Amino acid sequence: MTIKKAIIPAAGLGTRFLPVTKSMPKEMLPIIDKPVIHYVVEEAINSGIDDIIFITGRSKRSIEDYFDDSPELEMHLMSKGKTEMLKMVRDISSLVDIHYIRQKEPRGLGDAILTAEKHISGEPFAVLLGDDIIVNSTPCTKQLIEVFIKYGRSTIAVEEVPLEKVINYGIIKGRKLDEHLYVLEDIVEKPSPEKAPSNYGAIGRYVFTPEIFDCIKKSEYGVGGEIQLTDGIKLLSESQKIYAYKFTGKRYDTGDKLEYIKAIVDFALENEEMREEILAYLRENIVKC
Ligand code: UTP
């Protein structure tokens, strides 16, 4: 059995990116000419997903507008013969079914995922956080789906994080099966470095069996007064095996200002038209430093 549905939570307040996130979703911040969430949707599509549920909230209308048809713009481009641009504008919304659910209040990632339970209707599904971009020839979500196809169990993507940063992640304890794969034995939300069971943090990609919904419902409000997905995962691991997968790829948490800037620089360096000029600019400024 494979996975066709994905939830993309994008209802958070984005406080690390204030003041711009007062009126603009952080998921719509551009990496050159595409918003962050466009890359996330591309990853989902390239992983075989054909049905996406966005979890949105107040001030998130621009996400819906972005993925909607744009008849006036399309007519204009058509009349000017700008076929390349027309294709670009049309492509993303035509490749996948997109649905929207509103999370009434940002009560945490667990709560955001719970709002999509009816739409998921008892199938396994993927979750891709709307502000994490992961670059790799085999998309990270596809890597997780491959583990799911093999073992039929929930699988979460993890990466090694510096010990001083474990406080920002759900940190796992795992039993190593091979270079990439672990059986989850415990997961702790935002531990201090002293209490962290490892330095493997859960990042923004998951594949779940539908039993996760009941486990989130049974979880109390956790760290930060939010309904934490981590608590649901921990509960699920008590009744079903869960795998942690050390994915291959480069991840940018674009909800963090510094990571966002690094993403823009790296994407510009990968862009043939920009590469030389950006390199020259960087070299010139490094010399000045
Ligand atoms: P984050 O913790 O990075 O998002 O959640 P945040 O709360 O918006 O960010 P800061 O810390 O205040 O800057 C990861 C993902 O989960 C979504 C966010 O939109 C983001 O894509 N999320 C978070 C929700 O959809 N609902 C929530 O209640 C919380």
Side-chain angles (χ1 to χ4, degrees), residues 5 101 113-122 213:
K5 290 183 180 174
I101 297 177
I113 290 172
L114 214 46
T115 60
E117 182 179 10
K118 267 197 194 142
H119 188 95
I120 293 295
S121 52
F213 291 116

Side-chain angles (χ1 to χ4, degrees), residues 110-111 113-118 210-221 227-229 231-233 235-236:
D111 181 68
I113 290 172
L114 214 46
T115 60
E117 182 179 10
K118 267 197 194 142
E211 287 79 14
I212 188 71
F213 291 116
D214 280 341
C215 294
I216 297 173
K217 278 182 228 163
K218 283 181 199 152
S219 306
E220 313 262 296
Y221 281 90
I227 299 183
Q228 296 287 357
L229 176 60
D231 296 334
I233 294 174
L235 203 56
L236 182 63

Side-chain angles (χ1 to χ4, degrees), residues 8-18 21 26-27 37 54-57 60 63 103 105-113 127-132 168 189-190 204 206 226-228 253 255-256:
I8 302 186
L13 293 176
T15 53
R16 284 171 295 163
F17 239 116
L18 280 168
T21 42
K26 63 177 169 178
E27 296 82 3
I37 202 155
F54 282 118
I55 314 301
T56 68
K60 303 277 180 172
I63 298 179
Q103 186 186 14
E105 275 176 67
R107 281 181 296 210
L109 183 55
D111 181 68
I113 290 172
V127 174
L128 297 84
L129 297 194
D131 57 353
D132 256 0
N168 299 324
E189 181 68 13
K190 299 187 170 69
Y206 313 81
E226 295 189 342
I227 299 183
Q228 296 287 357
D253 171 9
D256 173 89

